[in-house]
Each structure stands twice: as structure tokens, then as C-alpha cells.
Amino acid sequence: MEDRSQTRRDFMKMMSMGAMAALSLGSLSCTQARVEAFLQKHFREMTEAEKKEAIRRLEETYFRKYGKKFHISTQPADAAVLWGYGLDLSRCIGCRRCVYACVKENNQSRINPQLQWIRVVRLKDGSLINLENTEHYYNPEKVPEPGFQYMPVQCQHCENPPCVRVCPVHATWKEPDGIVVVDYNWCIGCRYCIAACPYKGRVFNWGEPNIPPEELNTEVHYLGNRPRMKNVVEKCTFCIQRVRNGRYPACVEACPTGARKFGNLLDPDSEIRYIIENKRVFRLKEDLNTEPKFYYFFSA
Amino acid sequence: MKIVPLLLFAIIAFGVPVFAARHNEYPVSTPPLTEGIFPCSNCHAGMEVNAKKRELKDEHANIKLHHAENDRWCLDCHNPTDRDKLKLANGDKIQFTESHLLCGQCHGNIYRDWKVGIHGKRIGYFKGGERVYFLCVNCHNPHDPKFKSLKPEPPPIKPERKNGR
Ligand code: SF4
Ligand code: SF4
């Protein structure tokens, strides 16, 4: 919150000093970038030209902050696509390779705060509905452990997302291809969405994110893995920066057991459609009518 | 080209170099043959064929068959005459990059799922680029196929408890 009032204060100060003239100069000063960020429109209301301008400014800001050249995509959804995810519970061994691949691909803060978009839950065999026996801090020598099953949980990309409905400033919404996204520049950090999500799919930047500079992923999407700031909410985006380019999500590629599947629900030949039509699938908390596009299944 | 980052990624992530083998139905990754072991004919060409079940002492001593070992032995899958090929039950010779055909002879259901991308793993581009299928043998040692247990990555850090809560 402090940062924001700071920005506002700077802005007022600059106005009074007649410093707006500086805006016409080619290269951006630090304060000026902040002024422009403050004036930035909601992503969905920007024209193409305004998007380009916002991206240019962000890329400069990131360069100044991290000393790296970022490439920020704004690639829109494809009308013929609705993304769906499949997770084979009979294969998952709870190794958490997916968790760390996601952290790396998506520039999550590593420590203080430690943010992870995937939580792997351990359940006692045969108690898929008895959530009292679950935990996600398990740490044995080796997995899988006899007598246990594992269930990774992340944003379920609901068709009817409760998080979107509660956001007072419309900083989060569902894209036409089904991906639920956040405009970090628009998020005010109220965390209503975190409270509304029945899957604990969202996490909050309680502090300035910490990422080792050499591990930054500079191929990013505006609505996805671009570096976040303190006081904003973030979550799984189905790796929007990858899937809109035809690549599998990072967690799919990292999983050593091949438990993770992904594809286009509108394509009858896709892997995900095959799963829904031929395997026993279920979705989490179906009774809430959130209509997740994340399908758990048992192949064996 | 896209294959270069993919290759690097695959080497870093899985330790297996990935090449799309063009000659068969699916672009598959390279079988994980021990370095310098292929072509098998380098050693086997002049060697007499010994079909007898025995403990392998001088060469291939690392292979302990745990895969329906009561019913089979090397030459049920490896071709006895042309050593650089595998052999199907009907006698057809196949390349090492087509070993899924061999596995599919017994594991029909899983083979069916593999072909549609449900069992096993594919990486790369599902659209507009190279998609590579992992072969059965990229994840399962054909001589001892049970999936090995792994050390899990560290659990998340527990949030600090404040004010005794
Ligand atoms: S990487 Fe795969 S097997 Fe490991 S926890 Fe994640 S989903 Fe499960
Ligand atoms: S799809 Fe991408 S963002 Fe979502 S959990 Fe997997 S790796 Fe993370």
C-alpha cells in the first residue's frame, strides 16, 4: 500500500512542479515511468497502440530493475481454443518436480515470500474424500510412499470462477480461451479473490519478490509470468506464454511420470478430449458449480 | 530452429538427448543406450549366438533381468542374427527407435493409451512445432521396468506462527 501512495504523492508533486514537460523526452526517467504506470489503463481497455506503449515502458522498467532484456508478449486468445488440463492420479508419485518447474518458468518469488502455484497434497490411500488425512509438507526419503496417494492442486481455471466475481476493480478475469488471468498493474492487493477461491489457487506477494537474477525467465506474457511486484496476487495461468505458442505447460514437461496432460477441449482429436471421453474423470468440488477445466483421472 | 532449445532443455531436464527419429510413425526421443554400446554388431558380428539362459559375467554384467524373467531371455527381444535390430514375436526386425512396437505386443492397453498421448509423456510443441514422444524405454528400463522411486523436491516452507496463533 505504501508504494502506491508514494506513487500518487510523487505524481502530485510532479504536477505542481510543472515537470510534466519531461514526458515529451525520449528516454524514460524513473519517476516518469512511475507516473505513466499510474496512468496506465485497464489492460482490456487499451488500444493496440496503448498496449505497445505499456509494454515498451514495462520492458524499460524491467531492464532498469533486473539488467535484463525482457520480451513481453500480449498474444491474444485463439477463438477456436478452450484449454483443458488432465492429471492422472494413478501415475502421480508426489515428487514435486512440477512445483519447481513452475516456479522457474513463471518467475515466482523463491523465498520471503516463497510463492508456489502448485501444491501437492498427500492423501492416505482410499481416503480421497477424507481431507483430514491430507498434508502438503510431507518429506520422506523417497516417493511414492506405500499407503499414500498424491494430488497436485493448482488454479482450476473454472468456467464460472468465483475469484473473478469478487474482484472489486476487475483486475482478474477469464480470457476467451478459458485462462483466468490477473493484470498485476491493476490489482490493488485486497485479496478478496484469495478468499473466494475454493482451491487455494492464488497466492499473494506479501513482500518484494525475490528471484536470483540468473534464474529470471525473460520470455514472458503480460498476463502471465512477467515479474510481479509487492502487494499483488498471482496464480497458475496454464503457462499462457507457452500454450498460446503451441507449447506444453512447464509442469507437463517436467513431470517424470507423464501424469500431466494438456490440450484444447474444442479439438475432438486432442489428448484432453480423449481422456474425458475414455477415462474415469472427476473435478474438484463439483458441487460448487465452478466448472473447473482441470480434470483428474485414473488411467489404471 | 526449435529443436536446438528443445534439445538443450531435454538434456538439462532429463539427461536424454532428444532427436526426432524420422523413419517411423512418431517422432520419438533417442533410446537411452549406454554410451559406446551401439551398434551392437561391433562386438557381436563375429560372435557365436548363445541362446542359453545364464548369468552375464564379462559383458552386460549390469543387466539383471526383472521383467517376466522366468519366461524370457535376451533373444526374445533382441534379434540374434542382425544384432543392431530388435525382434517382434512374429520375427519382424525393428529399429531400436521403434521399441514401442515390441512393448506393445504384451502391454496392449498401455500401448493404446501411449499412442493417443495418455500414457507416457510428450514434450515440445503440440501445435506449430516439433512434438517428441518419449519411448517406453525412456522412462522404464526394459530389463527392469518398474518405475523407480525418487527423492522428492523440498516441501514448502511452513508459514511462521505469530502471536501464538
Ligand atoms: S511432477 Fe508429476 S509425479 Fe511429480 S508431483 Fe508433479 S504431477 Fe506428481
Ligand atoms: S500450467 Fe504453468 S503456470 Fe500452471 S501450474 Fe503448470 S507450470 Fe505452473
Side-chain angles (χ1 to χ4, degrees), chain A residues 87 89 92 94 119-123 128 131 134 149-153 282 284 296:
Chain A
L87 205 148
L89 290 177
C92 175
R119 179 195 328 268
V120 185
V121 173
R122 188 182 74 177
L123 310 131
L128 260 181
L131 298 180
T134 63
Q149 292 207 340
Y150 305 87
M151 177 160 71
V153 184
F282 75 92
L284 283 184
Y296 293 91

Side-chain angles (χ1 to χ4, degrees), chain A residues 30-224:
Chain A
C30 221
T31 338
Q32 196 180 334
R34 267 194 283 157
V35 172
E36 286 185 18
F38 182 81
L39 294 174
Q40 184 178 311
K41 281 199 205 160
H42 189 286
F43 184 75
R44 283 202 288 182
E45 282 163 11
M46 286 187 214
T47 62
E48 279 313 306
E50 285 167 335
K51 274 187 196 166
K52 253 181 107 182
E53 188 44 37
I55 294 305
R56 188 188 61 83
R57 193 191 61 248
L58 266 175
E59 285 178 348
E60 267 189 44
T61 308
Y62 287 156
F63 187 78
R64 204 177 298 119
K65 188 161 175 192
Y66 302 107
K68 292 221 168 158
K69 255 202 93 37
F70 278 74
H71 172 244
I72 309 175
S73 159
T74 54
Q75 194 183 345
D78 177 339
V81 167
L82 190 63
W83 299 119
Y85 205 108
L87 205 148
D88 187 349
L89 290 177
S90 56
R91 303 279 171 223
C92 175
I93 58 171
C95 69
R96 297 197 187 96
R97 300 292 188 272
C98 50
V99 176
Y100 288 84
C102 174
V103 163
K104 213 161 172 201
E105 167 70 27
N106 292 294
N107 291 322
Q108 275 129 264
S109 177
R110 307 297 202 269
I111 194 147
N112 285 330
Q114 183 194 52
L115 301 185
Q116 298 180 347
W117 297 351
I118 307 177
R119 179 195 328 268
V120 185
V121 173
R122 188 182 74 177
L123 310 131
K124 280 231 174 74
D125 258 351
S127 61
L128 260 181
I129 49 165
N130 182 358
L131 298 180
E132 259 157 41
N133 290 325
T134 63
E135 76 140 316
H136 63 278
Y137 297 114
Y138 64 88
N139 193 23
E141 252 324 290
K142 288 279 175 73
V143 285
E145 306 151 274
F148 291 105
Q149 292 207 340
Y150 305 87
M151 177 160 71
V153 184
Q154 60 212 60
C155 170
Q156 308 276 305
H157 296 277
C158 307
E159 194 49 32
N160 186 15
C163 50
V164 167
R165 231 175 317 144
V166 299
C167 179
V169 296
H170 304 281
T172 183
W173 66 90
K174 189 181 67 181
E175 285 278 283
D177 55 4
I179 304 181
V180 177
V181 294
V182 179
D183 182 349
Y184 313 115
N185 278 58
W186 208 255
C187 173
I188 56 169
C190 72
R191 287 163 273 135
Y192 285 12
C193 56
I194 294 187
C197 174
Y199 308 103
K200 278 202 178 194
R202 291 173 171 252
V203 291
F204 187 62
N205 286 280
W206 291 98
E208 191 57 42
N210 284 310
I211 310 166
E214 68 282 4
E215 286 181 23
L216 278 165
N217 180 3
T218 53
E219 277 304 312
V220 298
H221 193 287
Y222 181 90
L223 298 173

Side-chain angles (χ1 to χ4, degrees), chain B residues 26 41 53 72 79 110 136 150 156 161:
Chain B
Y26 312 101
S41 54
K53 211 172 209 173
R72 83 170 68 95
N79 192 62
I110 289 183
C136 317
L150 296 173
R161 282 167 185 268

Side-chain angles (χ1 to χ4, degrees), chain A residues 3-21 23 31-32 34-36 38-39:
Chain A
D3 279 350
R4 266 159 222 284
S5 54
Q6 191 69 45
T7 311
R8 267 186 207 102
R9 217 164 23 239
D10 286 351
F11 178 64
M12 300 311 282
K13 207 159 61 192
M14 282 188 53
M15 289 288 279
S16 66
M17 285 171 13
M20 286 302 272
L23 281 173
T31 338
Q32 196 180 334
R34 267 194 283 157
V35 172
E36 286 185 18
F38 182 81
L39 294 174

Side-chain angles (χ1 to χ4, degrees), chain B residues 78-96:
Chain B
H78 291 270
N79 192 62
T81 47
D82 182 351
R83 282 297 182 148
D84 300 329
K85 300 265 168 62
L86 296 168
K87 187 189 83 174
L88 298 182
N90 66 5
D92 284 359
K93 288 188 217 170
I94 58 163
Q95 306 283 354
F96 274 78

Side-chain angles (χ1 to χ4, degrees), chain B residues 79-155:
Chain B
N79 192 62
T81 47
D82 182 351
R83 282 297 182 148
D84 300 329
K85 300 265 168 62
L86 296 168
K87 187 189 83 174
L88 298 182
N90 66 5
D92 284 359
K93 288 188 217 170
I94 58 163
Q95 306 283 354
F96 274 78
T97 48
E98 300 167 298
S99 55
H100 52 279
L101 299 172
L102 183 52
C103 310
Q105 298 178 130
C106 295
H107 306 281
N109 290 351
I110 289 183
Y111 181 44
R112 193 188 56 207
D113 277 359
W114 180 83
K115 279 195 286 189
V116 292
I118 307 308
H119 182 97
K121 174 157 154 173
R122 298 168 171 188
I123 59 168
Y125 287 76
F126 53 82
K127 202 178 135 202
E130 191 84 51
R131 167 161 67 186
V132 176
Y133 288 45
F134 276 41
L135 284 168
C136 317
V137 292
N138 289 124
C139 301
H140 303 278
N141 176 347
H143 305 125
D144 186 7
K146 192 173 171 354
F147 203 89
K148 301 294 170 300
S149 58
L150 296 173
K151 170 131 193 64
E153 294 286 347

